[in-house]
Amino acid sequence: MSRKSSLIKNSEQIQAMRKACGISSQLHTLSMTGAVSGLSEKNLADKLVRFYDTTEAASWAYPMLVGSGKRTTIIHAQPTQKKMQSGELVLIDMGVKCNGFASDITRTWPVDKKFTREQKTIYQIVLNAQKEVIRAAKPGETLTGLHALSRELLLEGLLRHKIIGKDELNEVFPHKTSHWIGRLVHDACPYFNTDETAVKLEAGMVFTVEPGLYLKEGYGKYSHIGIRIEDVVLITEDGCEVISSVAKEIDEIEQLRAY
Ligand code: GLY
Ligand code: MN
Ligand code: MN
């Protein structure tokens, strides 16, 4: 198979990815609905496994990640017996596979019905970066360029609120904004051409957009807040389409949490 044939998905493959993203989106929406205070991360994961069993998903695309409270600042937190408590956030990174194709979606939401003021501040910085990157994603752009934009926006938001110094972004955003996705959640397609230039986006390419901020100790009232927002994006002839579909605006999430 040539490089391009796996980077550029055909209509059947895109349909499989839409289906995987659709089912995963439903699972995420379900996860946000209902009281969770006092339940463990594992209890929440089990609830999603029960719902997954009723869907047409063929398998999970990767082991589901569930982190709450300070565990949201661990990039890949496996669900544990830790109980979710009032005032905390929950970060779920989860996706299924359909007809051989993967999805990969992350949402972060409050255990309570509303985000705290500090959680909202960080959430809005991440959401703004995620939406701006999606707006910029179109044929001719590169994932390297989109990552640079994401970093610039995250840093600008953090500096505006005096949360970090100008050289500290790597500590709170230690991963890339995007990866190719297809048969594998991290599709093994190249990011650079043989002449070392970045691969330019073309219609039919599919990748994630997943900026995050992970504030561990030492950030004052913002300590222990971890937020990632991840969607799956398909490049079209003149822009892109987000093929995952889960609430991500603060007011939409708070409506879902208003059980
Ligand atoms: N689920 C792993 C990742 O977001 O890349
Ligand atoms: Mn991902
Ligand atoms: Mn993910």
Side-chain angles (χ1 to χ4, degrees):
M1 198 184 286
S2 75
R3 177 182 71 79
K4 285 210 160 174
S5 69
S6 51
L7 254 181
I8 299 177
K9 273 67 181 176
N10 65 31
S11 58
E12 205 176 312
Q13 294 170 329
I14 291 170
Q15 206 179 326
M17 298 199 75
R18 284 186 193 284
K19 186 169 175 183
C21 284
I23 292 172
S24 308
S25 297
Q26 281 185 316
L27 283 163
H28 273 279
T29 304
L30 183 90
S31 77
M32 289 186 204
T33 319
V36 295
S37 183
L39 297 181
S40 71
E41 295 165 351
K42 191 83 172 50
N43 291 149
L44 184 55
D46 290 344
K47 171 178 161 183
L48 295 176
V49 169
R50 285 195 295 278
F51 186 72
Y52 161 90
D53 285 338
T54 71
T55 71
E56 290 181 8
S59 65
W60 294 101
Y62 51 93
M64 184 195 319
L65 305 172
V66 182
S68 63
K70 58 169 78 167
R71 299 188 76 252
T72 55
T73 65
I74 302 169
I75 292 170
H76 289 148
Q78 307 280 341
T80 67
Q81 300 295 349
K82 178 197 167 293
K83 288 194 166 50
M84 297 176 281
Q85 288 165 3
S86 177
E88 293 182 342
L89 290 171
V90 183
L91 185 156
I92 301 187
D93 184 341
M94 168 260 294
V96 302
K97 261 184 153 176
C98 288
N99 304 332
F101 284 82
S103 57
D104 182 8
I105 304 174
T106 306
R107 286 294 183 272
T108 312
W109 42 269
V111 168
D112 299 328
K113 297 182 186 190
K114 299 211 177 277
F115 289 90
T116 67
R117 192 188 172 92
E118 289 74 25
Q119 290 165 353
K120 258 188 199 171
T121 299
I122 306 297
Y123 191 95
Q124 204 58 57
I125 294 171
V126 177
L127 181 62
N128 176 53
Q130 205 244 11
K131 286 163 62 176
E132 286 298 323
V133 167
I134 289 170
R135 212 164 286 146
K138 58 174 190 288
E141 294 291 336
T142 64
L143 294 189
T144 315
L146 295 181
H147 182 52
L149 173 63
S150 170
R151 283 178 57 89
E152 185 185 313
L153 292 166
L154 292 173
L155 181 61
E156 187 265 318
L158 290 165
L159 289 175
R160 186 158 25 92
H161 291 277
K162 302 185 170 44
I163 298 170
I164 64 166
K166 66 178 176 38
D167 300 321
E168 291 168 11
L169 186 66
N170 290 348
E171 283 154 47
V172 296
F173 180 42
H175 61 76
K176 290 278 198 283
T177 301
S178 300
H179 56 81
W180 305 123
I181 178 167
R183 291 189 187 279
L184 297 174
V185 62
H186 286 210
D187 226 13
C189 294
Y191 291 85
F192 294 94
N193 300 304
T194 44
D195 64 2
E196 293 180 15
T197 56
V199 169
K200 286 198 171 146
L201 297 176
E202 292 178 46
M205 292 182 177
V206 185
F207 57 91
T208 64
V209 177
E210 50 177 308
L213 288 174
Y214 311 91
L215 301 163
K216 294 180 185 278
E217 287 292 336
Y219 297 96
K221 61 186 179 180
Y222 298 102
S223 298
H224 310 307
I225 295 178
I227 288 166
R228 177 163 69 254
I229 306 170
E230 175 173 33
D231 280 306
V232 180
V233 161
L234 163 70
I235 292 293
T236 59
E237 293 303 330
D238 57 2
C240 76
E241 181 191 341
V242 181
I243 61 172
S244 42
S245 174
V246 190
K248 62 182 172 187
E249 297 294 334
I250 287 176
D251 58 346
E252 292 173 341
I253 291 179
E254 290 187 341
Q255 269 176 32
L256 282 172
R257 297 299 303 135
Y259 43 86

